[in-house]
């Protein structure tokens, strides 16, 4: 099994966590990924993203799919879920 996702130019993964998020009346298991963008002119990163991935399909042939993306105003240092909500330290 091999899956890939292309990050943008100068983007680096800074946090990864398996999370459970509220979806209608149930919790959905997802993988949350936090990123940041390198810019040599900045002392601290001013841009990043949060990506949510779902694993679909059969256990023998799972399919990883990016189901949501959100821009952030800085590096995503940490990411987790709490009571069905996504929490990130930016």
């Amino acid at each position: 099994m091999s899956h890939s996702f292309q990050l943008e130019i100068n983007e680096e993964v800074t946090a990864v966590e398996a999370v459970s998020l509220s979806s209608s009346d149930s919790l959905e298991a997802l993988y949350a990924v936090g990123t940041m963008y390198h810019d040599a002119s900045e002392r601290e990163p001013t841009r990043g993203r949060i990506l949510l991935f779902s694993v679909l399909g059969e256990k023998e042939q799972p399919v990883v799919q990016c189901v949501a993306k959100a821009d952030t105003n800085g590096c995503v240092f940490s990411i987790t879920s709490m009571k069905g909500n996504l929490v990130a330290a930016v």
Side-chain angles (χ1 to χ4, degrees):
M1 174 181 75
S2 171
H3 301 282
S4 66
F5 179 82
Q6 184 66 43
L7 296 175
E8 294 180 359
I9 295 173
N10 296 325
E11 186 178 23
E12 178 181 319
V13 172
T14 55
V16 178
E17 185 75 24
V19 296
S20 295
L21 303 181
S22 294
S23 174
S24 300
D25 294 333
S26 63
L27 289 177
E28 186 174 357
L30 300 166
Y31 291 96
V33 177
T35 73
M36 57 87 70
Y37 291 90
H38 287 283
D39 184 338
S41 67
E42 298 175 339
R43 288 187 68 176
E44 293 287 328
T46 59
R47 295 187 320 128
R49 290 194 300 172
I50 295 173
L51 309 167
L52 293 177
F53 293 91
S54 178
V55 180
L56 308 168
E58 300 296 321
K59 188 174 184 177
E60 293 77 30
Q61 287 197 304
V63 176
V64 178
Q65 179 179 14
C66 184
V67 295
K69 302 176 190 178
D71 293 332
T72 62
N73 292 323
C75 175
V76 180
F77 292 101
S78 181
I79 198 164
T80 192
S81 61
M82 180 183 296
K83 295 183 180 179
N85 296 299
L86 190 66
V87 180
V90 179

